[in-house]
Every structure is written in structure tokens, then in C-alpha cells.
Amino acid sequence: LDPLARIVKANHGSVYRGHRRPLQLLIDIKTEGSSTYLELDRHLRRHRHLFTTYLHGKVVPGPVTAVISGDRAARVPMEAQTVRRAFYDGRLADLGSAAPASFVPLISDNWTLTFTWLGEGVFPEAERQKLRSIVRQAHARGQQVRFWATPDLPGPARDALWTELLAADVDYFNTDDLAGLESFLDAHR
């Protein structure tokens, strides 16, 4: 977090020079969620000036918005906090639930558990409508959308799937190929 704090200081309160949009820091918990989150929370509190904060029912924007993903047991201690510097990475089951965007600002799920299409052939119209419906519902509630387990090998299938994600206004693309995504997005501006 120290290098991130230096960047924010150098950019006068922003991660990105000249832009106020917060950086979303997705923190993927790979160990037991509850105890790991409580330890993480102690570290986030040491850098309170960096983080978007949930403060007694109100969200106070900061340069970085931490979103906790991974082990779902982190949800319990997070929901109990009236002040926290992290938010929860929801699943499709959270879409339309009682969990507000002030707790679940991001809806993420496994593409292959929701859709059969992997970019080859024609995207089935029912699946296209399902994708767009998910994005519309999330955006109407102030939430963003991300799918993981999408094809990530360069080629026509990945490009076709990314084209559909872009057309549906999906907020985040999950990839290990950042240069490939940059090229794709540059070509589709």
C-alpha cells in the first residue's frame, strides 16, 4: 500500500494524474475469509486516506476502492462494520438482493456457469439478452459487472466474446493479457 500512497500523494489525491476516478483494487482472499479480512482491515485503516470508506450508512469516495473477493466468509465481519474501508465482490445471486451497492458495488461471476457460448459461432440470442439484462439490472442499482473464466487465449473466439462484453457495457474484462486487451479496446473506440 505504501507505493500506492506515494502515487496518490504525487498526483494530488488521485491514482491517475488528472483524473478523479478511483482505482478499484480487487483483493482476492485465498485463505479463511473472516480472519484474513479482519487482519486486512487493520492494514487498510493504517492508510485510511487512500480508501473509499463506508461510514455509518454513507459512502465517502477516496482515490482507491478496495473490493474483497475470494473466500465468501469475509462477508460476515464486513456486514457487521459501521465503518469500513472495503466493499464486497458480489455474485449473480446478489443481483437484486437486499445487499445495497454501498456494500456490493461489484457483481462478479464465472462466465462458464452462466453462459455456454465461448466466442465460437453465433452468440445465442437468449444468452445475449441474459447478459444485457444482468448489466442493466446491476447498473440500475449502481453496481458494476465483471465475469471471470472467459476465454483468454488470443484469437477470434476471445475477440468475439470481448466484443459482446463491450457491446453489453460490461465494466471489467478479466484477463491476464493486458497488452491484448489494450489493443482490442484501442481498435474498438
Side-chain angles (χ1 to χ4, degrees), residues 122-134:
V122 177
F123 192 18
E125 189 58 31
E127 290 194 6
R128 177 180 287 123
Q129 292 310 315
K130 181 178 184 179
L131 172 61
R132 291 178 180 200
S133 175
I134 289 167

Side-chain angles (χ1 to χ4, degrees), residues 98-163:
S102 61
F103 182 67
V104 181
L106 179 64
I107 300 292
S108 300
D109 223 312
N110 183 325
W111 178 268
T112 62
L113 296 179
T114 308
F115 302 97
T116 61
W117 187 68
L118 296 176
E120 294 183 9
V122 177
F123 192 18
E125 189 58 31
E127 290 194 6
R128 177 180 287 123
Q129 292 310 315
K130 181 178 184 179
L131 172 61
R132 291 178 180 200
S133 175
I134 289 167
V135 173
R136 270 193 312 274
Q137 287 176 56
H139 288 178
R141 295 191 64 195
Q143 297 167 312
Q144 296 180 313
V145 177
R146 170 182 81 99
F147 289 98
W148 74 87
T150 56
D152 206 25
L153 294 175
R158 183 181 74 180
D159 286 352
L161 195 136
W162 282 359
T163 298

